[in-house]
Amino acid sequence: MLAVRCCDAGARIIRRAVRLDDFDFILPPELIAQHPAAERSASRLLYLDGRTGRLLDRRFTDLPQTVGSGDVVVLNDTRVIKARLLGSKQTGGQVEVLIERIIDERNALAMVRASKSPRDGSMLHLAGGMDARVLGREGQFFRLCFEGTTDLLGYLDAHGSVPLPPYIDHAADAADTARYQTVYARHPGAVAAPTAGLHFDEPALAALRARGATIVYITLHVGAGTFQPVKVSDVREHAMHSERFDVPAQTAEAIRAARASGKRVLAVGTTSLRALEAAALDGGNVRPGYGETNLFILPGYSFQVVDRLITNFHLPKSTLLMLVSAFAGIDNIRRAYAHAIEERYRFFSYGDAMLLERAGSTSTEPSAR
């Protein structure tokens, strides 16, 4: 198993000072998308050439026109689990449990929200008559043993709810259960969706294949830490959360072949990008296999694998905004976000998308059609 940590990529990071306020912006609340577009691929697509700073307003359905024969498109096929549970403590106080990671058929790491933190050894009484014993703390998470099941994933599917992001102001319903999941989701384990992939439907995937693109997959189980705020003014001091990933041999080989023939690698989502960069070898190929990474990508990072990135618009002062600023250039991203706000793009998980060409790379602009 790979154990890729931020320090492993130290040779690819310039340790310049980066301030949290460099990644702030003011967003009108009405631009936070509360519901997805009527059709998955009906969103807008803001194109940013990181080399020149050029911006183009497009539609997501234009994406296949920007992909050439032999290019590799990398999708994250993680599946969101119903990780949110409600219940009470032994003392009667209300409790909310958000599963971070399933360890085995009975045990999990979870965030536990309550008026007072539960004590080690105490019991949580959860939906469906389930009792979960608090075994201890691991950092910000509690280790829980679900004593009434040997199929924790099945229990969550029956009694949990989709853990929508905190900026979405409605409780998850049946529509969210369907739409806060990519059409190609296969491997359960994420507690947040790889949201760039939410724009793809089967016709969009078919159009990419018709252009001659090679579609491959990685799996990175998105953790609750993706919403963890950065609380330090010097962002280099932020402790990045760790996430599990898997790069199949077929994906690694497709990337090697594409790079050998001068083709491009398009990562769909920051999760796909992090997995590929965490598994990067010198020369831009990737190691296949399972791993875990807390790779923190800041401006100054030297990208090894990914040439292009599909991503949504991200929260102010977030690690994801720092990542895209590293990829396309911090000044370019500032201008792009200002443009998106002026043009009334929809933001965050259910919002519109961006197509970024990496700063310093040889970019090919989308057709003018």
Side-chain angles (χ1 to χ4, degrees):
M1 177 176 176
L2 303 177
V4 184
R5 302 289 177 180
C6 187
C7 57
D8 295 330
R12 304 204 297 271
I13 302 174
I14 301 172
R15 296 295 182 181
R16 62 181 61 153
V18 187
R19 312 302 295 180
L20 183 59
D21 287 343
D22 292 338
F23 304 96
D24 197 12
F25 64 93
I26 298 174
L27 180 69
E30 66 271 16
L31 296 186
I32 300 174
Q34 296 297 321
H35 299 276
E39 302 294 335
R40 286 183 181 270
S41 60
S43 59
R44 299 166 72 184
L45 180 69
L46 179 59
Y47 171 79
L48 169 60
D49 185 337
R51 185 186 60 175
T52 67
R54 185 182 182 188
L55 294 168
L56 290 173
D57 296 305
R58 307 303 302 271
R59 308 299 304 181
F60 195 81
T61 49
D62 297 328
L63 177 64
Q65 302 170 22
T66 77
V67 175
S69 178
D71 286 355
V72 173
V73 178
V74 184
L75 307 174
N76 182 4
D77 63 4
T78 188
R79 187 170 187 84
V80 180
I81 61 175
K82 294 183 177 180
R84 183 172 179 264
L85 296 163
L86 299 178
S88 63
K89 297 188 294 182
Q90 282 181 274
T91 55
Q94 293 185 338
V95 66
E96 178 183 3
V97 172
L98 180 62
I99 302 298
E100 162 70 12
R101 178 178 301 193
I102 294 177
I103 299 171
D104 57 33
E105 65 273 6
R106 298 181 66 193
N107 293 276
L109 292 178
M111 292 182 175
V112 177
R113 297 171 181 164
S115 57
K116 292 184 178 180
S117 295
R119 300 188 306 273
D120 291 0
S122 64
M123 198 74 76
L124 305 179
H125 306 300
L126 303 175
M130 176 63 67
D131 288 336
R133 186 173 299 279
V134 179
L135 301 181
R137 294 288 294 264
E138 294 188 18
Q140 64 179 313
F141 302 113
F142 291 83
R143 184 165 182 143
L144 304 180
C145 177
F146 290 74
E147 298 193 341
T149 185
T150 56
D151 180 13
L152 180 52
L153 190 59
Y155 163 74
L156 292 174
D157 194 52
H159 298 285
S161 62
V162 173
L164 292 177
Y167 46 76
I168 291 180
D169 59 14
H170 66 270
D173 56 23
D176 295 301
T177 300
R179 292 296 301 274
Y180 195 64
Q181 195 84 264
T182 65
V183 298
Y184 46 80
R186 290 185 289 189
H187 302 293
V191 300
T195 55
L198 298 180
H199 304 282
F200 288 83
D201 52 21
E202 292 300 340
L205 296 172
L208 289 171
R209 293 187 180 98
R211 292 282 295 184
T214 300
I215 297 178
V216 295
Y217 300 90
I218 60 92
T219 304
L220 183 141
H221 293 312
V222 190
T226 192
F227 301 115
Q228 181 181 347
V230 178
K231 299 179 180 179
V232 291
S233 59
D234 184 342
V235 301
R236 297 172 300 173
E237 299 174 2
H238 175 69
M240 190 68 174
H241 62 285
S242 183
E243 293 170 319
R244 297 167 293 165
F245 70 91
D246 175 28
V247 179
Q250 180 182 5
T251 296
E253 174 55 26
I255 290 170
R256 185 206 62 76
R259 297 186 66 84
S261 57
K263 303 299 181 180
R264 299 169 299 173
V265 176
L266 168 61
V268 175
T270 57
T271 58
S272 296
L273 182 147
R274 285 186 75 225
L276 295 175
E277 293 293 330
L281 296 166
D282 291 338
N285 294 319
V286 299
R287 293 166 289 188
Y290 295 92
E292 187 162 327
T293 182
N294 63 353
L295 178 62
F296 188 11
I297 296 178
L298 293 168
Y301 179 86
S302 179
F303 291 87
Q304 297 292 294
V305 181
V306 178
D307 304 300
R308 316 175 78 211
L309 175 65
I310 292 284
T311 187
N312 281 19
F313 294 93
H314 302 295
L315 290 162
K317 298 184 177 181
S318 65
T319 60
L320 300 181
L321 183 57
M322 296 169 196
L323 184 154
V324 297
S325 297
F327 191 81
I330 189 168
D331 291 333
N332 288 336
I333 289 293
R334 285 172 179 157
R335 287 194 313 102
Y337 272 53
H339 174 86
I341 291 170
E342 182 178 358
E343 295 298 321
R344 312 297 288 179
Y345 277 72
R346 301 169 74 240
F347 274 64
F348 306 156
S349 292
Y350 276 154
D352 294 313
M354 299 184 76
L355 170 59
L356 307 179
E357 306 278 4
R358 194 181 75 224
S361 67
T362 302
S363 62
T364 301
E365 295 179 2
S367 68
R369 199 186 87 177

